[in-house]
């Protein structure tokens, strides 16, 4: 395992300058809340902003534990864990699931306040994978962007904030969403200096962003309809995955880095970054489907981090709900997880 290096330079260093995204990437597309809901939620955002980071963390733990006890999507989480980690006991999987609920509550309550959402010592938490981190910064220093991949892990919203503060200009790949919660999160993304890339014309937007020196930032751990998906191994079972990252890498020659924000165990939204990369595509002629192979390599990096800290990933999502076509198969040498001894209890 790589040693944890200091995350330098510090946030107030004059060497770190923020490059704003293009104006057309700062628009928010979606359905905003109605007038009444918008009025009421402003009080919620103000209350969360007023709370200290430690108080928000305590509230998140309470809400997460309550949601788990009420059984909201608990069956989904336990089924996913039985599929992905059958070697663990039922008690271990339940504890991981409980942690995932708490983490999701933390993500929401940490991401909504206005102002500075990170504690003052955010830059002192360090970076694991210093060689990859230095390679990423060296790429950005050339004036061209990299392709950054993460997962619904730790707090991906605040991870983007951290990267921007470290001088990595970001454009987040997003979908138009509805409601007060999603509108607020989109507003905060723009406020901290991130651009927003929407699905229509996304590949060309990614290419343009890389050439401008911006780094597209995408989540690669959600199911995609089979028609447009690459099916790659994830915890030993084929999972439908967007090939957008691999397609963009092929068209831009931009290096791909996996960046994850790992909670350090203390309250107050403290994370260290774990960076892996550049994750290279297959060499010409190495395989029949280089896009799927590159997607698989990056997905494997996500899995390695999730396995180390499983309670920080979003097990509540039906990751394997889309079935692969009959001709799809696990690559040679890939060992699927052993079958669980019976269905997981519903709790």
């Amino acid at each position: 395992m790589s040693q944890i290096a200091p995350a330098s330079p510090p946030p107030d260093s004059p060497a770190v300058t923020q490059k704003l995204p293009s104006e057309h990437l700062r628009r928010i597309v979606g359905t905003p809340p109605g007038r009444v809901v918008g009025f009421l939620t402003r009080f919620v955002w103000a209350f969360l902003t007023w709370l200290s980071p430690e108080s928000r963390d305590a509230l998140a733990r309470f809400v997460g534990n309550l949601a788990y006890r009420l059984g909201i999507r608990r069956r989904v989480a336990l089924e996913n864990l039985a599929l992905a980690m059958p070697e663990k006991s039922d008690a271990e999987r339940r504890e991981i699931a409980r942690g995932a609920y708490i983490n999701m509550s933390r993500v929401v309550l940490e991401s909504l306040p206005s102002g500075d959402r990170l504690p003052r010592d955010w830059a002192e938490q360090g970076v694991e994978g210093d060689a990859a981190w230095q390679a990423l910064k060296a790429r950005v220093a050339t004036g061209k962007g990299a392709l950054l991949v993460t997962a619904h892990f730790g707090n991906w919203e605040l991870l983007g904030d951290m990267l921007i503060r470290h001088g990595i200009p970001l454009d987040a790949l997003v979908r138009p969403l509805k409601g007060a919660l999603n509108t607020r999160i989109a507003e905060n993304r723009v406020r901290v200096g991130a651009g927003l890339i929407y699905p229509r014309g996304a590949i060309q937007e990614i290419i343009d962003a890389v050439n401008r020196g911006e780094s597209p930032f995408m989540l690669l751990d959600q199911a995609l309809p089979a028609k447009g998906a690459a099916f790659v191994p994830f915890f030993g079972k084929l999972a439908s995955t967007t090939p957008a990252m691999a397609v963009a890498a092929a068209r831009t020659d931009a290096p791909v880095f996996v960046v994850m924000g790992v909670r350090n165990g203390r309250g107050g939204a403290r994370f260290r970054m774990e960076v892996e990369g550049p994750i290279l595509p297959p060499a010409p002629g190495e395989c029949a489907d280089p896009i799927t192979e590159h997607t698989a390599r990056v997905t494997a990096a996500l899995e390695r981090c999730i396995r180390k800290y499983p309670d920080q990933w979003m097990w509540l999502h039906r990751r394997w709900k889309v079935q692969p076509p009959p001709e799809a198969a696990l690559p040679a040498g890939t060992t699927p997880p052993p079958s669980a001894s019976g269905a997981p209890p519903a709790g």
Side-chain angles (χ1 to χ4, degrees), residues 313-324:
W313 189 60
M314 190 176 65
W315 293 99
L316 288 70
H317 168 64
R318 289 192 179 277
R319 183 66 183 92
W320 295 274
K321 65 182 178 182
V322 179
Q323 295 301 306

Side-chain angles (χ1 to χ4, degrees), residues 44-64 101-120 155 158 161 165 184 188 191 263 266-270:
V44 177
W45 312 152
F47 173 69
L48 293 177
T49 302
W50 173 77
L51 288 175
S52 68
E54 292 74 19
S55 296
R56 284 196 293 268
D57 192 69
L59 178 60
R61 293 185 65 84
F62 171 78
V63 172
Y101 277 79
I102 293 172
N103 187 70
M104 281 301 302
S105 297
R106 282 171 160 167
V107 169
V108 174
L109 295 180
E110 291 166 350
S111 302
L112 294 175
S114 58
D116 195 346
R117 300 174 298 173
L118 291 170
R120 296 178 66 88
N155 187 326
L158 297 191
D161 192 343
R165 295 190 195 202
R184 176 68 170 191
N188 278 344
R191 181 182 59 79
R263 294 186 185 275
R266 298 167 60 198
R270 290 177 174 86

